[in-house]
Amino acid sequence: MTDDKTPQGNGVGQQNLDGGDGAAAPKKRRRRRPKAHHLKKLRTEKGQSAPALKPGEIKPEKRIEKDWLPSPPFSKRYAAIDLGTNNCRLLVAVPQKEGFRVVDAFSRIVRLGEGVSQTGMLSDAAMERTIEALKICRDKIENRRVTAVRCIATQACRGAGNGEAFLKRIKEETGLDFELITTEQEAALAVRGCMDLTDPRADAALVFDIGGGSTEISWVVKKSGDDITNAVFRLEAWTSIPIGVVTASERFGGAHLTREEYEKIVDTIALEVSRFTGADHLKPLFEEGRGHLLGTSGTVTSLAGVHLGLKKYMRKEVDGIWLASERALSISEKLRSMGFEARQKEPCIGQERADLVVPGCAILEGILKAWPATRIRVADRGLREGILAELIAGDRRRKRRRRSRGKAGRKGSSVQTSKSS
């Protein structure tokens, strides 16, 4: 006699109820999903939560590449698009207990700002390349069922006479609504996106973002905390230099830079940075070794990839590593002197960046000349991560306000009920 729920036939899974020699086959145990309170326990980190932030303070955001705990199908999904002078980048993420988890990404070199420094206008070819890339971004956003998206445009559209008209065209052809942000907003987003890579033992950091059409530099000071989980930073000062890898390449040459032309870029950048005096009071911290550089750009990530000898660029190997300033400068000279054709064969540079990486190296050397530091933290993150952090934080603030209003409403109704009784 068998249980009517057991399949008939070969007897697999049947049980001998007469006490005979037939051994009972082991039942296959079902794998249970972790319950809610277990998930909460797993995702909760030890230690007290960080104090509430005040205006001007920056809380580090964590970018989680992998997390074995799957996101529920109803969870919110956020997307950020950064349309720069050289690149079009997309990031899609879901919120986690701390920070967010990336679920999709896209990046393509479109060179939107190509020729803008000379003509003052976006070219037809550059706009077509960009539209094509943005249609891929739109499809990814739709396929991922994104619930909130923010699209930003930076220096190329800021500096071009037809920049705003192009953003209107993007909306008509792709449905993506772009916001033309200021240099101050750009610097703040870059800082927020990579702030968790600041050395918690340092007292200050200079965060630089070498873009295609401009270079944003920010100085941050640690206000409290001695660990990355509770450190609170204050954005002390920032400046923007209207020179990036594309504009420097067009102005000074990129594919075949002589040492003299390279030095011209270095001196130009050093002079521009030195003219900004709003952070001079922080120089003693860097002179005493209590400050470091934190770079978020294709230039520093390329240098890190060459430094590691990677056969193929791998973000997980590059993001967060430390690079001695002297080592960065020696790699820069190596790349400049090896020539355009040899740079194209470098796995972490390739054909698309072979003419831009050396001008980027010169910009970095100019920053180091104005603000000497012994080490650089490499960040393969920046504006997109900053956008996602702001979107998620904004939703959480609104959720807390709704809860507070709900509690206040229930409390008020209970008071009225007690009075009427």
Side-chain angles (χ1 to χ4, degrees), residues 131 165-178:
I131 290 288
F166 178 56
L167 296 183
K168 292 179 181 178
R169 176 187 167 188
I170 290 174
K171 187 173 182 180
E172 292 172 358
E173 296 190 25
T174 68
L176 298 171
D177 192 3
F178 271 82

Side-chain angles (χ1 to χ4, degrees), residues 204-208 217-220 273 286 291-295 367 371:
L206 184 156
V207 183
F208 63 91
I217 302 176
S218 306
W219 288 262
V220 295
V273 177
F286 287 80
H292 68 86
L293 266 59
L294 174 55
I367 295 171
W371 281 78

